[in-house]
Amino acid sequence: MNIQTTKESTAMVVTVVGRLDAVTAPEYEQKFIALISEGESRFIVDFEKLDYISSAGLRVLLATAKRVKGKSGAIVLANIGGTVKEVFDISGFGSIFPMYESVATALTAVEK
Amino acid sequence: MTKKIHTITCAAQVEKLGEIAEFVEECAECFGLDVKRAFGLQVAVEEAFVNICSYAYPEGGGDATMTASAEEDCLVLEITDKGIPFNVLLLPDPDTSKDIAEREIGGLGGYFIRRLTDNVSYRRENEENILKLVLHRTGGS
């Protein structure tokens, strides 16, 4: 897994590439803890290049969302498709996270 | 008649997940499992393996073995460990209708195993936990 961040005016765009599984999930969580401690609270997570996610991945997604919610922030997701989407659908995560078709539409939504 | 495709034994440590994922991918390809189902199988196997690491061997140190076989139109994967008796299928389902604030962290593993396979069963045999996952080659789950 590889994580890239891009600072936009209204949110931090976090691009996750590869697998978000039991091995890589702690790294994802650490990255968010670091960003939050730097003062970031609004995130767009771009999953276009996410190949795989398991419950361990969803677990850290939820844990980080709870963390930013306490700081009046938000995490929204962009570009969830293909096989990864099924995991979101059956877990109910598809309805607890705002999801957008692209980073651009997510940014527009976050600005409002 | 069952035809053995492949088997792997490795230490039940989460870090070994890469090896397991590679094994499952090979089995799925060799069997001709459709891509979406192969993805589901990957998730189901990860959940089972991670649970073995945590619950069957709470103090670490054991192995897990996976054996894949083809039974007619189904891929059958048995995951075996010699740890303490533990049936992942008995874990309660999470409430998938709750929102972020109320949703509990965790509890999805057993649920994914059930949802992403066509049939799953657990048995305790010769001091071993055996979880059997069955997936049809194609078709809706």
Side-chain angles (χ1 to χ4, degrees), chain A residues 43-85:
Chain A
F43 297 93
I44 293 166
V45 184
D46 183 3
F47 278 154
E48 186 173 16
K49 291 172 183 157
L50 183 75
D51 299 324
Y52 175 92
I53 189 164
S54 64
S55 75
L58 294 180
R59 190 177 195 279
V60 290
L61 213 59
L62 183 61
T64 49
K66 282 180 187 280
R67 209 178 266 269
V68 299
K69 212 174 168 77
K71 297 183 184 297
S72 307
I75 293 182
V76 305
L77 312 178
N79 290 316
I80 293 179
T83 45
V84 167
K85 188 164 188 301

Side-chain angles (χ1 to χ4, degrees), chain A residues 4 6-8 10-16 43-49 76-80 99-111:
Chain A
Q4 292 149 10
T6 312
K7 175 91 174 145
E8 297 286 346
T10 50
M12 181 66 90
V13 179
V14 181
T15 305
V16 184
F43 297 93
I44 293 166
V45 184
D46 183 3
F47 278 154
E48 186 173 16
K49 291 172 183 157
V76 305
L77 312 178
N79 290 316
I80 293 179
M99 302 207 282
Y100 299 93
E101 284 176 7
S102 68
V103 170
T105 53
L107 274 169
T108 310
V110 168
E111 276 167 18

Side-chain angles (χ1 to χ4, degrees), chain A residues 19-23 51-60 62-66 69 75 83-88 90-93 95-98, chain B residues 14-18 21 35-36 39-40 42-44 46-47 50 94-106 108-109 111-112 115-116 141:
Chain A
R19 291 172 60 92
L20 192 46
D21 60 19
V23 174
D51 299 324
Y52 175 92
I53 189 164
S54 64
S55 75
L58 294 180
R59 190 177 195 279
V60 290
L62 183 61
T64 49
K66 282 180 187 280
K69 212 174 168 77
I75 293 182
T83 45
V84 167
K85 188 164 188 301
E86 189 185 7
V87 170
F88 278 87
I90 64 174
S91 62
F93 273 55
S95 56
I96 60 178
F97 280 95
Chain B
V14 173
E15 305 78 61
K16 296 285 183 188
L17 196 57
V35 175
K36 190 165 172 253
F39 179 86
Q42 282 284 359
V43 176
E46 173 179 333
E47 308 300 352
V50 168
D95 183 342
T96 56
S97 65
K98 288 182 174 171
D99 69 12
I100 285 185
E102 293 177 330
R103 186 71 188 256
E104 283 160 23
I105 292 176
L108 277 169
Y111 179 68
F112 278 170
R115 287 294 302 268
L116 296 169
S141 52

Side-chain angles (χ1 to χ4, degrees), chain B residues 88-93 109-117 120:
Chain B
V88 68
L89 302 177
L90 293 180
L91 296 177
D93 279 351
Y111 179 68
F112 278 170
I113 295 171
R114 284 189 295 271
R115 287 294 302 268
L116 296 169
T117 56
V120 58

